[in-house]
Amino acid sequence: MLTIKYIRENADKIRRGAVHKNFDPAIVDKVLSADEELKPIKQELERLQAERNSLSKLIPQKKGDEQETLKEKVKSLKSQMDELTEKVKTKQTIYDELMLLVPAPARDDVPIGKDDSQNVQVRTWGEIPKFDFTPLSHIDLGEKRGWVDTERGVKLAGSRSYVLCGELARLEQAVLRYTFDKLCAKGYMPLSIPVLVREEAMINTGYFPLGREQAYFIEKDQLALVGTSEVSLTSYHSGEMLDVSELPKRYFAQSSCFRREAGSYGKDTKGLYRVHQFQKVEQVIIAPNDVKVSEQMHAELLGNAEEILQDFGLPYRVVYVCTGDLGQGQVRKHDIETWMPSRNGYGETHSCSTFHDFQANRLNLRYKDENKDKHVCHTLNNTAIASPRVLIPLLENLQTKDGQIRIPACLQSYMGGQKLI
């Protein structure tokens, strides 16, 4: 969330940023109007409160009619204050709801574009495989070898559901465990976190109210299933005052994640690319309020994910995401897209995002510097690995003519020394 002070001082910049992100720029004027309506009512309420307090102090000093007159005056002020308090509540609710809809402007170097088709390629890594046979898609491979059972998955949980069986289930665990160990070795602290969270955690990380249609929400308990452990990791220190000596904090978590995929009707309906439940290892950094440090942390997170794909020997490209493909709170984002032969192109497997203080403002996540001055933190996150999506390039790029899969060397010890499945 942007602060009202920042919005007042940068209204034109935020309007432009909203247009570039495909948001309605009118939200800025609605917020400013709500702010202007709220301010005088609050000021009058404060004035009445001060007058009431002053008169209340005088009452014990007076006697008789004079004291009764003061009491009546205080009673009258209380009635006026109650009326104004109700007005403030109503106006405050409108103001708070509007504030949650204001998008953060992208960094100045982010390419302007309408959607992901205008993302800008930054670099590529690895050789796209050339087969001397007709390669199979991951789903054909999976069904042929009994590794993927979508029929029973759908029976259990409906569309976009699946069951990984046998060797592929083992390979998924190998991928997750390798990633877990790699991040531990880099000094990231693993957390085992809740995947059912309070609504405020979704709001404070920017997934509600925008994006609510993508989440599974349990009305009875007022809890949401997370679409990424970023929600829990970033909210871990909400409402806390950290010390600058603790920063940056580097966390990661492996968790199940859930997304409704609302709005994706007809897209990627076959296979493991777009599913409702998946496993993910997510990285989160809580950093000091310093743009240069955030740049360094962004590069670090992105580098971690690239290293993992390089360890697996999977060809990929990095794209700088354009304004129209950025989320509400993201000020910059890089996607990693891994080569998927069945798509004859790259498919997104990782997203690395910088939020500056957008999430931390909502989370009331702050720290004290060396001079004991208070600042709002910066937050960043990136996928380390997500399955089953990463299994697509693993199966398709590393398949052999006889339908086996070459296991990357770094994963073989997690597979009992196997080199092929």
Side-chain angles (χ1 to χ4, degrees):
M1 182 169 65
L2 304 178
T3 65
I4 189 60
K5 181 176 184 294
Y6 183 84
I7 296 172
R8 290 174 189 149
E9 295 173 355
N10 298 274
D12 287 340
K13 178 180 179 179
I14 299 167
R15 289 188 192 97
R16 287 195 300 274
V19 171
H20 293 156
K21 278 190 169 186
N22 299 323
F23 282 76
D24 184 355
I27 187 61
V28 178
D29 298 298
K30 290 177 182 178
V31 163
L32 292 174
S33 176
D35 178 47
E36 286 301 312
E37 289 180 17
L38 192 55
K39 274 195 301 185
I41 303 174
K42 281 185 171 181
Q43 289 168 354
E44 177 63 10
L45 187 57
E46 290 170 2
R47 187 192 69 77
L48 292 175
Q49 179 68 59
E51 183 179 354
R52 181 172 179 250
N53 290 344
S54 178
L55 292 176
S56 295
K57 290 177 182 178
L58 289 176
I59 289 175
Q61 303 172 24
K62 305 296 181 181
K63 295 181 180 180
D65 291 344
E66 196 171 2
Q67 187 180 68
E68 290 304 314
T69 299
L70 285 176
K71 287 181 178 180
E72 286 299 317
K73 179 65 173 174
V74 167
K75 186 177 179 181
S76 174
L77 288 173
K78 172 69 166 56
S79 177
Q80 294 178 59
M81 288 171 59
D82 288 345
E83 186 178 336
L84 282 180
T85 298
E86 287 304 311
K87 285 186 178 181
V88 167
K89 282 183 181 179
T90 301
K91 298 284 186 183
Q92 187 72 50
T93 298
I94 294 170
Y95 169 82
D96 290 343
E97 290 174 351
L98 290 170
M99 283 289 283
L100 291 175
L101 302 178
V102 181
R107 278 181 20 149
D108 291 341
D109 65 333
V110 172
I112 296 173
K114 62 180 181 178
D115 55 34
D116 60 0
S117 66
Q118 295 183 296
N119 293 342
V120 177
Q121 181 172 296
V122 175
R123 58 181 170 272
T124 63
W125 184 91
E127 293 291 327
I128 293 173
K130 295 179 181 177
F131 300 98
D132 58 2
F133 59 92
T134 302
L136 299 178
S137 71
H138 70 283
I139 198 65
D140 289 337
L141 278 164
E143 290 178 348
K144 179 180 179 181
R145 301 302 296 270
W147 293 334
V148 180
D149 191 336
T150 53
E151 183 177 345
R152 290 187 176 93
V154 170
K155 178 180 71 174
L156 289 169
S159 64
R160 299 189 187 277
S161 299
Y162 61 95
V163 176
L164 301 183
C165 308
E167 300 278 61
L168 192 56
R170 291 180 64 223
L171 181 61
E172 178 186 52
Q173 288 304 307
V175 166
L176 295 170
R177 287 163 58 203
Y178 176 78
T179 303
F180 191 103
D181 290 346
K182 188 175 185 73
L183 290 179
C184 281
K186 286 179 172 289
Y188 283 66
M189 180 185 287
L191 299 181
S192 182
I193 46 82
V195 296
L196 263 178
V197 299
R198 292 177 173 173
E199 188 172 9
E200 65 191 48
M202 299 292 280
I203 292 171
N204 291 341
T205 49
Y207 286 91
F208 284 3
L210 302 178
R212 180 182 284 271
E213 73 282 356
Q214 293 293 351
Y216 290 100
F217 192 74
I218 302 169
E219 296 286 349
K220 184 176 180 179
D221 300 302
Q222 292 295 292
L223 295 172
L225 283 165
V226 299
T228 167
S229 59
E230 169 203 336
V231 174
S232 305
L233 290 171
T234 311
S235 301
Y236 184 55
H237 290 290
S238 62
E240 295 183 21
M241 180 70 70
L242 307 176
D243 189 85
V244 68
S245 62
E246 303 175 64
L247 303 178
K249 285 185 173 291
R250 296 172 171 88
Y251 292 127
F252 77 95
Q254 177 185 325
S255 74
S256 295
C257 302
F258 306 85
R259 293 183 186 171
R260 292 186 59 244
E261 293 294 350
S264 64
Y265 180 78
K267 295 180 182 177
D268 304 302
T269 55
K270 187 174 174 60
L272 302 176
Y273 190 83
R274 198 179 299 276
V275 293
H276 291 310
Q277 180 178 338
F278 52 98
Q279 299 293 317
K280 186 147 73 91
V281 179
E282 182 75 9
Q283 314 169 81
V284 161
I285 290 180
I286 299 170
N289 197 311
D290 185 313
V291 172
K292 289 186 177 180
V293 173
S294 285
E295 286 181 356
Q296 294 166 3
M297 296 300 98
H298 186 100
E300 177 179 303
L301 290 171
L302 189 60
N304 292 343
E306 288 190 66
E307 276 185 36
I308 292 166
L309 288 178
Q310 290 174 16
D311 292 346
F312 295 166
L314 298 177
Y316 65 85
R317 69 174 183 174
V318 177
V319 298
Y320 201 11
V321 172
C322 73
T323 54
D325 196 27
L326 285 179
Q328 180 192 13
Q330 295 163 337
V331 299
R332 73 187 301 222
K333 180 168 76 167
H334 285 86
D335 281 350
I336 302 177
E337 301 174 350
T338 309
W339 182 259
M340 300 179 183
S342 63
R343 300 170 74 90
N344 193 32
Y346 294 97
E348 179 197 327
T349 52
H350 301 70
S351 288
C352 185
S353 303
T354 292
F355 288 85
H356 286 169
D357 60 4
F358 184 88
Q359 290 178 321
N361 277 323
R362 295 188 181 201
L363 291 161
N364 191 26
L365 174 52
R366 299 174 296 161
Y367 68 96
K368 289 182 181 178
D369 64 19
E370 298 87 345
N371 300 318
K372 304 302 179 184
D373 292 327
K374 299 174 183 178
H375 305 275
V376 179
C377 296
H378 278 190
T379 62
L380 308 91
N381 65 71
N382 186 22
T383 318
I385 210 72
S387 179
R389 189 172 288 191
V390 75
L391 299 179
I392 299 173
L394 276 168
L395 293 179
E396 294 182 356
N397 286 295
L398 303 182
Q399 64 181 293
T400 65
K401 190 172 185 177
D402 59 0
Q404 296 187 89
I405 309 299
R406 291 179 284 110
I407 300 173
C410 66
L411 297 180
Q412 290 172 14
S413 63
Y414 295 88
M415 295 285 290
Q418 280 182 254
K419 295 183 179 180
L420 292 166
I421 62 169

